[in-house]
Amino acid sequence: MTYEVLLIERVEKTWGYYEVLLKEPGYLVKKLYVKSGALMSLQRHFKRSEHWIVVSGRAIVYDEFGFKKYLKPDDSVYIGKRVWHSFFNLLSSPLIIIEIQMGSKTEEEDIERVTESCMPGDEKYDYYSELVGRGYDKISTPSMDKPS
């Protein structure tokens, strides 16, 4: 038996891209394709939770306290509503994550960011990596600008 997933939408991002695989009231399923070395923005959502399952590659997931969880294929992590989170692709190969969003709003507008997504070589990469690694509760002034 063969199954075919119809792609609803593909969106290019700094860190790679995501594909929306399923969208129903109350939940959304995405496939995230993350470039080598990519660091996702430190962010949170108010109307949805997320469940990430690593399909291939390795990731470090950060929470709002700077806690790191290392994920390999078949590992997963739950991110509750209002929890600051970010992730980093550890390997030189792509990281593929299945993301399941659940909540009253599964739209991209339900997001608050402290940092931007970035790639190694970007001007703010080292600064953002340090902020994400320390955790949001240890950031004295959440700002999109690098200090002088």
Side-chain angles (χ1 to χ4, degrees):
M1 190 179 298
T2 303
Y3 294 95
E4 183 178 335
V5 175
L6 299 176
L7 180 63
I8 296 171
E9 178 183 22
R10 179 178 166 142
V11 177
E12 298 291 329
K13 304 296 267 182
T14 304
W15 46 264
Y17 64 86
Y18 69 81
E19 297 173 338
V20 176
L21 304 177
L22 181 63
K23 184 176 175 100
E24 296 286 338
Y27 66 96
L28 177 84
V29 179
K30 290 182 179 179
K31 176 183 174 185
L32 311 179
Y33 177 94
V34 185
K35 296 176 189 174
S36 172
L39 176 67
M40 179 180 261
S41 63
L42 184 59
Q43 58 187 260
R44 67 179 173 175
H45 314 286
F46 295 93
K47 305 210 182 248
R48 71 174 188 249
S49 61
E50 295 179 342
H51 191 106
W52 294 344
I53 304 162
V54 173
V55 175
S56 68
R58 302 224 190 271
I60 299 178
V61 176
Y62 299 92
D63 71 9
E64 60 193 347
F65 305 109
F67 176 76
K68 299 177 194 175
K69 182 171 183 177
Y70 295 87
L71 301 178
K72 62 186 183 330
D74 200 31
D75 287 344
S76 64
V77 65
Y78 172 80
I79 300 153
K81 293 175 187 171
R82 300 181 187 274
V83 173
W84 290 100
H85 59 281
S86 178
F87 66 76
F88 170 71
N89 180 358
L90 282 170
L91 301 179
S92 57
S93 57
L95 167 66
I96 299 176
I97 294 175
I98 299 299
E99 175 183 281
I100 302 168
Q101 300 178 6
M102 299 208 52
S104 61
K105 187 170 186 175
T106 56
E107 303 292 334
E108 287 302 303
E109 295 78 32
D110 177 31
I111 193 164
E112 180 182 0
R113 289 186 176 94
V114 174
T115 64
E116 300 166 355
S117 298
C118 54
M119 297 293 297
D122 290 349
E123 179 183 327
K124 297 180 182 180
Y125 185 81
D126 290 337
Y127 175 66
Y128 286 163
S129 297
E130 183 181 334
L131 286 182
V132 168
R134 283 190 312 201
Y136 182 73
D137 67 328
K138 297 171 185 70
I139 300 171
S140 56
T141 51
S143 171
M144 296 300 282
D145 296 322
K146 189 173 181 177
S148 324

